[in-house]
Amino acid sequence: MKKDIGNREDIILLVDSFYQKVQLDHAIGHIFNEIIKIAWSHHLPKMYDFWESLLFGKATYKGNPMLTHFDINHKIALRTVEFDAWKNLFFTTVDDLFAGENAETIKRKAQSIADLMQFKLNEPKSRFNIV
Ligand code: HEM
C-alpha cells in the first residue's frame, strides 16, 4: 500500500520525480531547459521549501511565484496546453508515489494555484495586482 506524504523527505522525492518527468515532457520540458535554462541545483531546493510551506505550514519558502511566472510568460506564453501538461505530470507523480489525505491536499492546492496563475497571466489588468 502506498504511504501518504509525511515529511520533507517525501516532498523531496515528489519534487525530484516531478521535475525528472517535466524535463522530458514535449509541451513544457524546453521551457525549463532551453528557454529559461534554469539552474536545477537552485530551483529544486526552492521547490522543496515551497511545497513544505504549503503542505506543512513551515515558513521555509520566500518568494513570489506570480512574479516569476509573469516573467516567464513574457518569454514564452504559458497557456492551457502548458498548464494542462504541468498539472497532469504533477497529479500523476503524486498518485504514482503516494496515497492519502496529504496527497489529496497537495493536488488540490496545485490545482487551485495553477488555475489562479493561468487566470492572472491571461488577465492584463492583474499585472498590477499580482499577489
Ligand atoms: C505552465 C506551467 C508552468 C511552467 C512552464 C513553469 C515554469 C517554471 C520555471 C521555468 C521556473 C523557474 C524560473 C526561474 O528560476 O527563473 C518556475 C519557478 C517556480 N514555479 Fe513554475 N511553472 C509552471 C507552473 C507552476 C505552478 C502551477 C506552480 C505552483 C503550483 C509553480 C510554482 C513555481 C515556484 C514556487 C517557482 C519558484 C519561484 C521563485 O521563488 O523563484 N509553477 N516555474
Side-chain angles (χ1 to χ4, degrees), residues 6-114:
N7 53 38
R8 185 172 172 93
E9 279 63 47
D10 294 338
I11 300 262
I12 291 173
L13 174 64
L14 170 63
V15 168
D16 287 352
S17 309
F18 171 62
Y19 284 107
Q20 272 163 22
K21 290 186 188 165
V22 162
Q23 289 189 70
L24 299 175
D25 187 80
H26 68 279
I28 56 173
H30 65 292
I31 300 177
F32 291 81
N33 284 323
E34 285 156 40
I35 296 173
I36 306 298
K37 295 190 175 74
I38 69 168
W40 288 103
S41 59
H42 183 64
H43 180 65
L44 293 174
K46 218 190 274 188
M47 299 313 296
Y48 309 149
D49 290 346
F50 176 74
W51 287 114
E52 189 181 37
S53 300
L54 276 178
L55 197 58
F56 299 129
K58 302 232 167 102
T60 42
Y61 174 75
K62 307 262 180 302
N64 187 330
M66 262 330 293
L67 260 190
T68 305
H69 294 81
F70 269 117
D71 287 344
I72 299 167
N73 195 46
H74 279 139
K75 296 181 182 136
I76 177 157
L78 302 179
R79 301 227 169 88
T80 304
V81 171
E82 288 78 19
F83 275 99
D84 282 354
W86 190 103
K87 284 187 282 187
N88 186 36
L89 289 177
F90 193 83
F91 298 157
T92 310
T93 311
V94 174
D95 289 338
D96 282 351
L97 294 170
F98 301 103
E101 201 177 311
N102 286 339
E104 291 309 309
T105 302
I106 207 167
K107 286 189 286 180
R108 211 170 47 242
K109 286 185 187 248
Q111 171 87 52
S112 51
I113 296 168

